[in-house]
Amino acid sequence: MSNEKNKSGLTQQEAAAELEWLAEEIARHDEAYYREDAPVISDAEYDALRQRNEMLEAEFPDLVRADSPSKRVGAAPSEKFGKVRHAVPMLSLGNAFADEDVAEFVGRIRRFLKLGDDEPVAITAEPKIDGLSINLRYENGKLVQAATRGDGQEGENVTRNCETIGDIPRMVKAEDFPAVLEVRGEIFMSHKDFAELNERQSQAGAKVFANPRNAAAGSLRQLDPAITASRPLRFFAYAWGQVERLPADTQMGVIEAFGRWGFPINPLMTVCNGVDDLLAHYHAIEEQRATLGYDIDGVVYKVNRLDLQERLGFVSRSPRWAIAHKFAAEKATTILEGIDIQVGRTGALTPVARLKPVTVGGVVVSNATLHNEDEIARKDIRIGDTVIVQRAGDVIPQVLGHVPDKRPADAVPYEFPRLCPACGSHAVREVNEKTGKADAVRRCTGGLICPAQRVERLKHFVSRNAFDIEGMGDKVIQEFYEDGLIQSPQDIFTLAARNERSLKKLKDREGWGETSAKNLFAAIDERRNVSLDRFIFALGIRHVGETTARVLARAYGTAEAFLDAMQAAQDDASEAYQELTNIDGIGNVVADAVAEFFAEPHNLAVVRELADQHLDIQPMEAVATDSPVAGMTVVFTGALERMTRDEAKAMAERLGAKVAGSVSKKTDLVVAGPGAGSKLKKATELGVEVISEDDWFTRVGG
Ligand code: IVH
C-alpha cells in the first residue's frame, strides 16, 4: 500500500483502517436502530457516518469492503433472481381445523411412538405468521444466502434484499454459533407499516397492496434492493434447514438459542402438555390476535424433543411431528349494496363499500374500503355483486374481488362520481408533474365551500397536535357543525360569548351539563395562547405537516410576518414567493399549496380574524441567515462548560448553522471543549478550523 496522502489527507492504510471502523460502527448502529429500536446516536450523526464511508469509498475504490455498509442499502438492482436449490427441502404443514383434529394429531403421535398412557409428550405451540417463509444460510457466522421457499425444493435467491432487513442479522459473532446454519422463518409486515405503506403508495399514485402478506412478498421480491430497504419488513425465526451442530435437543431450546444469537423469535411460543393444554394456548393466542399488530392465521404445534421428531419423520410433504391449527377464515362473501363516497379534509374522495352485514372471523362487517377509483375498475366491482370481504387483524376490512358467477344480469360497471357528493364541485385527478400519471385520488375542488371538507378541517384544527382542545373531539365538532354552532375555526373562540347571549345554552344540550360546558369553555380559553408552528399546522394546508409547519414558523418568526408574506406570495412571480421557495425544506409543491391556500380570500380572512381578534400567537425564534456561522456545518465535541449540548445545537441552528455529529470533509467548524478526542484529531487531519467554546461565543457575538 502506498504511503502517499490522498485528497482526504489519508494514506491508503489509514483509509483502509477507517473504512473497517466505519463498517463495524455503522453495523453496530444499524443493529441498535433496527433491532433494538434504541439508537445511540442521532439520525444526523448516523448519516454523517454513512457519508464519510461513501466519500472514502469514492476516493479509494479499491478499498471497498465486502461487508461495506454501502452494499447493504440502496445497492444497484440485481439481475433477475437466481434459483437456489434448498439443501434441506422446505416442507409445508398439515392442517387442523377442529379440536378433534388436534386430538387426532396427538393420538397419532402417541401411537406412532408407542407411548404408554402415562408417558407425557411435550409439544410446543406458537403463532402461525402470515407472511412468506425464507431460508437464511449462515457460514462462519455470515449471512451468505437467503432464499424464498419456492416449490419447496428450489427457491429464489433474494440474498441482497434480505441484507437490507434490519431484523435479519448479517453477521452473528456468538462463540457457539454453528459453522453452517440455515435459519428459517417468516418475513412479514405489521398492520401499521402496511397502512402507512399503502398511504404512501396511494399518494404517489402507485400500486396499493391488498393485505400485509402481499405487501411483504411484493416488497421482498424487488429487483432493486433499495426498494426492499425502504419497506418496513420484519422477521421471526421458527425453524431450521441444514445445520452443522444443533445448540439444543428440543425445539424450544433451539429457538431460544436463535433468540440469544440475535434472531427475533415469537414471544408467544410455549411448551404444552396434552391436548387440553394445546387448545387452551390456541385460544389464548386467538384472543390476542386482533391486538398483535401483525397477521397470524393459526397456531403451529411441534413435538418438542428433536429425537422424537426424527423418529416421527415425514408423510409426503409435511412432518408427522407438526401441524398448523388454523383460525376460522377471516374472509367471507356478501352482497355489495352500494358504494358511498367519503370526502376528507383535503377533498380526497374515498369509496367505501356498503355491505349486507356479514360475520368475518367473528366480527360483523358492514363497511369495507375500496381504496380508490382505479382499484374498483381493476377489480370490476359493481353494485349488486357478491363480493369477497377480508378482515385481517385490526386492518380496515377490504373488498378483495367479486364472484363472477353470482353477478346479477343488470349489474353495470361502477362510474366514479366526477362531482363532489358533498358540495357538487368538480372532483378531479391531478396529474403528478414528476411521473406524468394521474393521481390515484380524485379530489373535490370546492375547498371551504365544501361542507365535508369544512368539517374535516375543523376536526383537524382542534386535534391533538394542532390546537388540542380538550373535550372537543370529532363527535362534538360534527354535532356542532351540523347544528350551525361552529362553521369555521373562529366560531370556536366566540362560542362562549354567543352562548351567553343565546337562549339555547350549551349546558342544556343533550349529553351536556353545567360542568362539562364550563370545562369546554375553559379548555378553549386555554388554547388562545398558541405557538406559531401549531397555528400553521392547524390550518390544514395540504402538504403542510408538523415538520413543514415548524420550518415555516422558524423562517418567518411571527404571525404578522408570516401572514404578510403569505398574502404577497399568492403571486408566484413575487419576491415573497421566491423567498418561500428559498427556505431550506420548502419545495415547489409545498410553496404552491401554501400560496394557493392564501390566494383564497375566505382563507385569508379567517386566518387574519383568528390572529387579530382571538389568539395570542407566540413567535418562533427565527433562523438567522446573516450570522457569522450561517450556512456552516458545525461539530461540537468534548465537554462544553457554558451550555449543554442541546443548547449548543439549538443556538447554532438558530444562527443558521447545521450541526453534525461527526467530522468530515464537509465540516466547516469544530468547537472543541476539554477532553475532545477522535473528532478533534480528525478535524486537525482534515484541516478543519477548530475553536474553543469561548471563541464560539466571541464569534457569534455574545
Ligand atoms: S414450521 C416443516 N412455524 O407455514 C415445517 N411454519 O404451512 C416448517 N409458517 O411454509 C414450518 N408460521 O411459511 C412453521 N411458526 C411457524 C410458522 C410457519 C408460519 C408458515 C411457513 C410454512 C407454512 C407451512
Side-chain angles (χ1 to χ4, degrees):
M1 272 189 196
S2 116
N3 273 329
E4 253 185 74
K5 296 216 182 253
N6 219 312
K7 224 166 49 198
S8 58
L10 299 184
T11 63
Q12 287 257 334
Q13 217 165 10
E14 287 168 336
E18 185 170 345
L19 281 169
E20 183 186 1
W21 176 82
L22 281 165
E24 275 174 23
E25 186 71 2
I26 292 171
R28 188 169 73 86
H29 292 305
D30 280 345
E31 168 112 356
Y33 182 85
Y34 287 113
R35 278 181 347 101
E36 290 151 28
D37 240 350
V40 281
I41 54 173
S42 70
D43 288 358
E45 286 171 308
Y46 176 82
D47 289 343
L49 289 176
R50 275 197 172 267
Q51 273 166 17
R52 173 79 179 161
N53 188 71
E54 235 172 67
M55 186 203 96
L56 288 181
E57 287 188 346
E59 202 176 318
F60 299 94
D62 294 339
L63 298 183
V64 175
R65 303 170 57 83
D67 65 348
S68 162
S70 62
K71 292 193 178 161
R72 277 207 302 270
V73 269
S78 68
E79 300 292 318
K80 262 208 151 24
F81 300 114
K83 291 264 176 283
V84 172
R85 180 153 277 278
H86 297 300
V88 175
M90 290 180 81
L91 302 177
S92 60
L93 293 170
N95 288 326
F97 296 98
D99 292 1
E100 297 80 70
D101 300 339
V102 179
E104 167 55 26
F105 165 70
V106 176
R108 212 161 45 227
I109 289 168
R110 301 188 70 88
R111 282 195 301 279
F112 192 95
L113 295 172
K114 301 198 171 57
L115 294 178
D117 283 350
D118 50 356
E119 276 180 280
V121 54
I123 296 176
T124 61
E126 70 197 67
K128 184 172 190 301
I129 317 295
D130 196 8
L132 65 151
S133 51
I134 194 90
N135 184 70
L136 305 169
R137 185 176 174 89
Y138 290 81
E139 289 178 7
N140 300 315
K142 189 170 181 298
L143 173 65
V144 293
Q145 189 177 70
T148 60
R149 185 176 114 152
D151 62 4
Q153 305 294 330
E154 234 180 27
E156 286 163 331
N157 185 342
V158 286
T159 313
R160 308 221 303 131
N161 297 15
C162 284
E163 282 171 352
T164 70
I165 299 175
D167 266 359
I168 296 179
R170 288 168 289 262
M171 187 77 206
V172 181
K173 286 221 169 100
E175 256 177 30
D176 58 340
F177 196 73
V180 173
L181 172 63
E182 292 182 351
V183 175
R184 291 181 176 173
E186 204 85 351
I187 289 182
F188 64 100
M189 194 178 283
S190 75
H191 292 154
K192 185 165 161 281
D193 289 334
F194 165 70
E196 283 170 10
L197 172 65
N198 261 358
E199 174 67 29
R200 283 201 303 277
Q201 293 284 102
S202 158
Q203 290 275 344
K207 173 191 162 86
V208 292
F209 295 100
N211 55 50
R213 209 206 81 83
N214 285 0
S219 300
L220 184 71
R221 292 217 196 82
Q222 287 287 338
L223 286 181
D224 180 358
I227 299 181
T228 308
S230 72
R231 304 276 175 82
L233 293 175
R234 293 180 49 192
F235 175 73
F236 275 131
Y238 54 63
W240 55 91
Q242 199 178 36
V243 53
E244 187 218 49
R245 189 173 45 84
L246 280 168
D249 53 14
T250 60
Q251 181 75 29
M252 193 72 186
V254 175
I255 299 304
E256 279 167 353
F258 286 177
R260 272 201 311 280
W261 291 332
F263 294 88
I265 57 172
N266 195 286
L268 297 181
M269 181 174 180
T270 194
V271 182
C272 298
N273 264 306
V275 178
D276 291 346
D277 201 10
L278 286 175
L279 293 178
H281 201 62
Y282 171 86
H283 290 296
I285 292 179
E286 191 178 32
E287 244 167 56
Q288 296 180 61
R289 185 179 188 188
T291 53
L292 286 177
Y294 51 87
D295 279 351
I296 63 173
D297 56 353
V299 175
V300 181
Y301 306 135
K302 299 169 186 168
V303 168
N304 197 29
R305 270 173 53 183
L306 301 186
D307 59 332
L308 297 186
Q309 285 190 5
E310 198 160 336
R311 273 173 61 196
L312 284 157
F314 298 84
V315 246
S316 68
R317 304 197 52 200
S318 33
R320 205 178 268 117
W321 46 266
I323 201 163
H325 189 182
K326 302 293 270 294
F327 293 135
E330 295 227 319
K331 279 185 203 154
T333 54
T334 186
I335 311 272
L336 177 67
E337 293 183 329
I339 295 178
D340 296 330
I341 303 290
Q342 286 178 353
V343 185
R345 167 168 67 85
T346 58
L349 268 47
T350 308
V352 177
R354 198 164 5 96
L355 303 167
K356 180 157 184 262
V358 62
T359 308
V360 191
V363 173
V364 178
V365 169
S366 51
N367 290 306
T369 177
L370 286 162
H371 297 298
N372 59 47
E373 188 170 347
D374 292 344
E375 280 296 295
I376 299 179
R378 195 175 63 76
K379 295 175 185 156
D380 185 20
I381 290 171
R382 306 181 181 186
I383 294 169
D385 268 348
T386 295
V387 291
I388 305 152
V389 182
Q390 172 170 286
R391 218 189 105 246
D394 56 1
V395 173
I396 307 166
Q398 34 192 323
V399 175
L400 296 182
H402 69 274
V403 183
D405 298 351
K406 296 206 175 157
R407 170 162 287 170
D410 58 351
V412 288
Y414 179 69
E415 249 194 79
F416 204 89
R418 300 289 191 269
L419 300 178
C420 170
C423 73
S425 301
H426 282 283
V428 298
R429 293 176 69 168
E430 289 164 13
V431 175
N432 184 319
E433 277 174 31
K434 272 201 213 128
T435 61
K437 280 208 279 196
D439 197 346
V441 176
R442 191 174 283 277
R443 274 174 215 281
C444 163
T445 54
L448 281 182
I449 65 145
C450 175
Q453 287 186 61
R454 289 179 79 159
V455 73
E456 290 307 316
R457 282 195 199 190
L458 285 168
K459 289 176 189 169
H460 172 78
F461 188 86
V462 300
S463 66
R464 199 157 58 86
N465 296 332
F467 269 78
D468 190 22
I469 297 178
E470 216 185 307
M472 200 170 236
D474 286 1
K475 259 177 65 194
V476 172
I477 288 283
Q478 188 76 45
E479 226 183 277
F480 285 11
Y481 180 81
E482 278 165 15
D483 293 352
L485 273 178
I486 293 178
Q487 296 278 310
S488 184
Q490 70 274 34
D491 298 341
I492 294 169
F493 299 98
T494 58
L495 191 64
R498 283 183 287 129
N499 187 63
E500 277 297 303
R501 296 193 299 267
S502 169
L503 293 175
K504 215 175 149 224
K505 304 278 190 219
L506 180 61
K507 67 176 170 58
D508 301 326
R509 285 175 70 97
E510 208 189 301
W512 291 81
E514 190 98 47
T515 318
S516 53
K518 228 171 75 196
N519 287 348
L520 181 66
F521 296 137
I524 293 171
D525 275 343
E526 211 173 287
R527 294 291 185 255
R528 287 181 197 270
N529 194 317
V530 64
S531 63
L532 180 58
D533 55 335
R534 267 187 190 257
F535 175 71
I536 295 174
F537 173 65
L539 299 178
I541 304 169
R542 216 172 140 205
H543 301 301
V544 179
E546 280 172 275
T547 311
T548 307
R550 209 170 309 123
V551 170
L552 288 169
R554 271 239 165 79
Y556 291 98
T558 64
E560 295 79 69
F562 175 65
L563 293 184
D564 288 348
M566 292 309 105
Q567 195 161 358
Q570 291 165 29
D571 169 7
D572 64 9
S574 66
E575 219 172 283
Y577 181 85
Q578 269 311 311
E579 247 172 54
L580 180 61
T581 54
N582 280 343
I583 300 171
D584 207 7
I586 306 290
N588 281 333
V589 175
V590 175
D592 287 347
V594 177
E596 243 171 60
F597 180 90
F598 285 99
E600 169 65 52
H602 172 87
N603 286 343
L604 191 64
V606 168
V607 177
R608 285 261 182 227
E609 187 186 326
L610 281 168
D612 297 343
Q613 297 176 30
H614 304 298
L615 302 175
D616 187 3
I617 305 173
Q618 299 306 310
M620 214 41 195
E621 271 185 280
V623 170
T625 50
D626 54 353
S627 91
V629 294
M632 285 187 161
T633 300
V634 183
V635 172
F636 292 92
T637 182
L640 299 175
E641 287 160 343
R642 295 171 60 179
M643 54 188 170
T644 65
R645 269 298 156 87
D646 284 345
E647 284 165 354
K649 186 164 191 274
M651 181 178 183
E653 282 177 353
R654 215 163 46 239
L655 292 167
K658 273 208 184 96
V659 178
S662 68
V663 178
S664 73
K665 239 177 37 186
K666 290 207 186 112
T667 312
D668 298 298
L669 186 64
V670 170
V671 182
S678 61
K679 289 181 194 172
L680 174 59
K681 191 167 151 247
K682 172 113 27 92
T684 322
E685 281 166 10
L686 292 175
V688 176
E689 184 183 6
V690 179
I691 61 173
S692 70
E693 193 182 358
D694 284 339
D695 295 341
W696 164 262
F697 278 100
T698 315
R699 177 160 316 185
V700 301

